[in-house]
């Protein structure tokens, strides 16, 4: 028990339980306590240190709150070594899943979810479209398929979303955007090939590229898109196959590329011979009057692989998206997609085609945009009123997330996450989006897609209270 002996500083303004918890954390981080090692029994430890049992209880609760320990009912408190992103990612996924499934019987305010509020999904209209398709096509709605996608849907995508500028035969229907990224990685990348991504970026893309054993190079995000000065330096010293980016309201930062940067990117792609994988994340949700245009629409070099998901903006369960391909890789990508997933749901494709044909899509998007525009401005106002002392944040003028930077370097996003969890609110620490967790620990993401107005107000106040407690612990008032 010698390593646990601790002498309290009576002159320190910090409560004894905080002094003790910080000491045990130092033992954990310096590997003087092993993973899963049982901490001293409360009564015995209190007697050893000359304090009451409540001090030990409070210290252990603090360790659990900060993710450095866990408790077994009737057994005691055990060490859990933290600090690595990989461990936190797995813990985070488990925690979010458990909390959203209500396993601890508490109701959490969800600033994590990226899905849409179910209240706005047009169930009756969609059901009508399904029934009409089954009445019209019969068993063919379930059994007939085209390996590149239902012709009617591809034709509608061309007409409604691209004004006929993209040919139907250049459109490939997908089972969601992630499948598109996976297929492109499979076609373009061999082990050791280099791909550029934004820093931070979407974890699903990182996984697709690393699974191909590719070398990932990163460029920082700026207020108008990726840092192209950094990109050109990389291009001058490396042969890259592709660059993956989100042109609108990038996840997690919410940043959109300026038209100037889009044009410059295309010039660089042509000059240095690489493809741009454009993941059009949420271009439908634009809240200001600024002109937005996809990189694909500016592409005169045939360098852009455009990927779009219907699942994100419409309904996750339909698992539909599409890809527009450059001619140079069109056949290879189509063949790879077929070998990966022979058939994307024929019924869902035909139903979505019918839904778009009836004009329902445009009306739905307009209603959705108006709702989330109101939620966006409410979130901005609440953050400015309650948290300007603690954070600064980017105003994306669209999308569903606000990316926040913690002003005090002593407070990590992982620590904030645990404090918020204790107040029954869920946030996303940005360590999940970085290879280097130390950079990501400065940031966190708030999504307003799944909360209601009263929940948002309550949640932001709770977030402020979490910061107040953290500042008090640091002795900052």
């Amino acid at each position: 028990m010698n390593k646990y002996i601790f002498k309290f500083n009576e002159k320190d303004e910090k409560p004894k339980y905080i002094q003790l918890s910080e000491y045990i954390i130092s033992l954990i981080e310096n590997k003087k306590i092993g993973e899963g090692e049982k901490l001293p029994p409360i009564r015995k430890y209190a007697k050893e240190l000359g304090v009451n049992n409540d001090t030990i209880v409070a210290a252990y609760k603090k360790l659990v709150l900060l993710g450095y320990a866990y408790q077994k009912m009737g057994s005691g408190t055990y060490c859990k070594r933290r600090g690595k992103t990989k461990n936190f990612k797995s813990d985070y996924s488990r925690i979010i899943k458990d909390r959203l499934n209500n396993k601890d019987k508490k109701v959490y305010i969800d600033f994590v979810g990226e899905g849409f509020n179910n209240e706005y999904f047009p169930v009756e209209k969609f059901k009508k479209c399904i029934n009409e398709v089954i009445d019209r096509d019969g068993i063919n709605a379930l059994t007939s398929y085209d390996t590149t996608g239902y012709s009617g849907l591809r034709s509608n995508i061309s007409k409604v979303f691209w004004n006929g500028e993209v040919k139907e035969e250049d459109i490939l229907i997908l089972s969601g955007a992630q499948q598109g990224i996976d297929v492109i990685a499979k076609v373009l990348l061999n082990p050791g090939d280099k791909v550029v991504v934004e820093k931070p970026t979407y974890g699903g893309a990182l996984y697709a590229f690393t699974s191909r054993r590719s070398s990932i190079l990163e460029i920082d995000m700026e207020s108008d898109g990726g840092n192209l000065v950094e990109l050109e330096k990389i291009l001058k010293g490396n042969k890259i196959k592709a660059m993956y980016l989100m042109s609108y309201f990038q996840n997690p930062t919410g940043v959109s590329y300026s038209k100037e940067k889009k044009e410059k990117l295309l010039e660089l792609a042509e000059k240095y011979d690489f493809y741009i994988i454009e993941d059009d994340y949420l271009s439908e949700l634009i809240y200001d009057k600024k002109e937005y245009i996809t990189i694909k629409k500016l592409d005169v070099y045939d360098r852009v692989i455009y990927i779009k998901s219907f699942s994100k903006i419409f309904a996750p369960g339909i698992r539909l998206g599409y890809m527009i391909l450059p001619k140079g890789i069109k056949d290879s990508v189509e063949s790879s997609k077929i070998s990966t997933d022979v058939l994307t749901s024929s019924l869902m494709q035909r139903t979505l085609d019918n839904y778009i044909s009836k004009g329902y899509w445009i009306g739905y998007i307009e209603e959705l945009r108006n709702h989330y525009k109101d939620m966006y401005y409410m979130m901005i106002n609440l953050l400015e009123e309650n948290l300007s002392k603690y954070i600064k944040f980017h105003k994306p003028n669209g999308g569903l997330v606000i990316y926040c930077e913690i002003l005090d370097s002593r407070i990590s996003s992982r620590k904030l996450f645990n404090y918020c969890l204790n107040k029954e609110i869920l946030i996303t620490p940005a360590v999940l989006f970085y290879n280097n967790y130390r950079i990501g620990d400065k940031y966190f993401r708030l999504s307003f897609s799944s909360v209601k107005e009263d929940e948002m107000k309550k949640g932001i106040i709770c977030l402020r209270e979490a910061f107040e407690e953290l500042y008090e612990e640091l002795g900052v008032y």
Side-chain angles (χ1 to χ4, degrees):
M1 187 152 173
N2 289 338
K3 63 185 174 185
Y4 290 104
I5 296 301
F6 175 69
K7 187 174 181 180
F8 294 100
N9 183 353
E10 300 296 340
K11 295 181 180 179
D12 194 333
E13 293 182 358
K14 291 180 184 177
K16 288 184 176 180
Y17 80 92
I18 291 180
Q19 292 185 47
L20 179 57
S21 65
E22 289 178 348
Y23 173 70
I24 296 175
I25 288 171
S26 71
L27 293 177
I28 294 170
E29 292 185 339
N30 290 321
K31 299 183 179 181
K32 293 181 180 179
I33 301 178
E35 178 76 24
E37 182 176 328
K38 186 176 180 180
L39 297 178
I42 291 171
R43 291 180 183 175
K44 184 177 179 181
Y45 200 20
K47 184 177 180 181
E48 188 79 24
L49 298 183
V51 295
N52 58 41
N53 291 347
D54 290 342
T55 299
I56 309 301
V57 170
Y60 285 1
K61 283 185 177 179
K62 188 76 173 176
L63 293 171
V64 172
L65 175 63
L66 295 177
Y68 284 96
Y70 59 93
Q71 293 176 325
K72 290 184 180 180
M73 189 67 68
S75 176
T77 304
Y78 294 81
C79 158
K80 180 167 62 173
R81 186 172 291 126
R82 303 301 303 260
K84 294 184 179 179
T85 309
K86 184 177 180 181
N87 291 342
F88 180 78
K89 285 180 179 179
S90 60
D91 286 349
Y92 173 85
S93 297
R94 174 183 53 77
I95 289 167
I96 296 300
K97 181 180 178 180
D98 288 350
R99 297 313 187 270
L100 293 182
N101 288 335
N102 199 28
K103 285 194 174 181
D104 61 0
K105 309 302 181 185
K106 295 180 182 178
V107 178
Y108 288 80
I109 296 175
D110 179 12
F111 288 128
V112 168
E114 296 176 65
F116 288 91
N117 193 320
N118 291 337
E119 293 180 9
Y120 289 88
F121 184 76
V123 175
E124 293 304 318
K125 288 180 179 177
F126 197 69
K127 183 167 69 174
K128 177 183 176 183
C129 288
I130 292 176
N131 292 336
E132 288 178 355
V133 165
I134 293 174
D135 290 341
R136 182 192 71 196
D137 300 341
I139 193 63
N140 285 335
L142 300 171
T143 61
S144 177
Y145 69 91
D146 183 330
T147 54
T148 57
Y150 177 57
S151 176
L153 178 57
R154 289 188 290 129
S155 176
N156 247 330
I157 290 170
S158 172
K159 288 185 293 187
V160 176
F161 303 134
W162 293 90
N163 297 317
E165 296 170 13
V166 174
K167 296 179 181 179
E168 177 187 328
E169 57 264 32
D170 292 331
I171 296 170
L172 176 64
I173 302 300
L174 303 166
S175 299
Q178 182 64 49
Q179 184 189 58
I181 299 169
D182 292 339
V183 170
I184 291 298
K186 186 177 177 182
V187 170
L188 287 186
L189 302 174
N190 294 311
D193 283 345
K194 295 175 181 177
V195 60
V196 174
V197 301
E198 302 156 327
K199 185 174 67 177
T201 192
Y202 168 53
L206 288 175
Y207 177 80
F209 302 144
T210 55
S211 69
R212 298 295 299 168
R213 289 184 287 163
S214 301
S215 176
I216 295 177
L217 306 173
E218 299 175 314
I219 61 171
D220 288 317
M221 288 299 289
E222 299 178 314
S223 61
D224 61 346
N227 186 325
L228 300 192
V229 174
E230 288 182 6
L231 175 61
E232 190 153 21
K233 286 180 180 178
I234 289 173
L235 295 171
K236 287 177 178 178
N238 302 270
K239 172 59 183 171
I240 73 163
K241 288 289 188 74
M243 176 179 175
Y244 169 80
L245 58 85
M246 294 182 177
S247 52
Y248 291 90
F249 315 124
Q250 193 250 18
N251 185 14
T253 65
V255 168
S256 298
Y257 278 73
S258 65
K259 186 178 180 182
E260 292 74 22
K261 282 201 170 179
K262 291 173 184 176
E263 291 171 339
K264 178 65 175 176
L265 261 173
L266 288 166
E267 292 172 7
L268 292 173
E270 178 68 8
K271 180 178 178 180
Y272 292 97
D273 187 25
F274 66 91
Y275 286 107
I276 298 168
I277 306 170
E278 180 182 15
D279 187 347
D280 182 358
Y281 182 54
L282 286 175
S283 60
E284 297 86 352
L285 299 183
I286 300 168
Y287 306 139
D288 60 15
K289 295 181 180 180
K290 185 178 177 181
E291 180 186 0
Y292 289 85
I293 187 168
T294 62
I295 303 173
K296 185 64 182 177
K297 284 196 174 183
L298 297 170
D299 183 17
V300 296
Y301 306 112
D302 205 26
R303 288 283 173 183
V304 177
I305 302 163
Y306 177 88
I307 299 174
K308 181 68 183 175
S309 172
F310 289 114
S311 303
K312 181 62 66 178
I313 191 74
F314 192 54
I318 67 170
R319 303 309 307 156
L320 288 177
Y322 69 94
M323 185 157 48
I324 302 173
L325 296 162
K327 289 180 175 57
I329 59 171
K330 181 173 179 290
D331 291 342
S332 298
V333 173
E334 287 179 357
S335 297
S336 179
K337 193 270 181 184
I338 293 167
S339 68
T340 303
D341 176 19
V342 176
L343 175 61
T344 298
S345 172
S346 176
L347 177 59
M348 285 299 101
Q349 288 186 64
R350 291 165 187 251
T351 301
L352 182 59
D353 169 53
N354 191 25
Y355 187 86
I356 295 170
S357 295
K358 289 180 175 294
Y360 292 158
W361 177 269
I362 294 174
Y364 168 71
I365 293 300
E366 186 65 26
E367 182 180 7
L368 205 64
R369 185 188 300 116
N370 289 335
H371 167 70
Y372 282 112
K373 180 179 179 180
D374 291 341
M375 297 297 282
Y376 166 78
Y377 285 111
M378 178 183 292
M379 172 72 89
I380 293 294
N381 290 334
L382 285 168
L383 291 177
E384 289 178 336
E385 291 170 5
N386 291 278
L387 292 166
S388 57
K389 176 181 176 182
Y390 309 109
I391 65 170
K392 61 181 178 180
F393 57 92
H394 170 71
K395 297 179 183 179
N397 293 316
L400 295 169
V401 301
I402 306 295
Y403 195 62
C404 306
E405 180 178 355
I406 300 170
L407 295 177
D408 194 311
S409 61
R410 294 170 294 178
I411 298 174
S412 72
S413 61
R414 289 174 295 167
K415 190 171 186 178
L416 178 64
F417 169 77
N418 283 298
Y419 270 70
C420 288
L421 197 63
N422 200 43
K423 293 183 175 294
E424 297 175 20
I425 58 175
L426 303 174
I427 66 169
T428 305
V431 291
L432 301 173
F433 307 105
Y434 287 85
N435 284 330
N436 184 340
Y437 78 89
R438 295 187 186 279
I439 298 173
D441 247 351
K442 294 168 54 181
Y443 305 96
F444 64 97
R445 188 189 67 185
L446 296 173
S447 169
F448 51 89
S449 67
S450 302
V451 293
K452 298 179 181 179
E453 291 185 13
D454 58 335
E455 291 175 332
M456 182 187 288
K457 292 174 183 176
K458 180 181 177 182
I460 296 301
I461 290 172
C462 288
L463 183 55
R464 184 191 69 200
E465 291 171 352
F467 270 110
E468 288 171 350
E469 290 178 11
L470 284 162
Y471 267 51
E472 183 177 351
E473 182 178 315
L474 291 170
V476 180
Y477 301 96

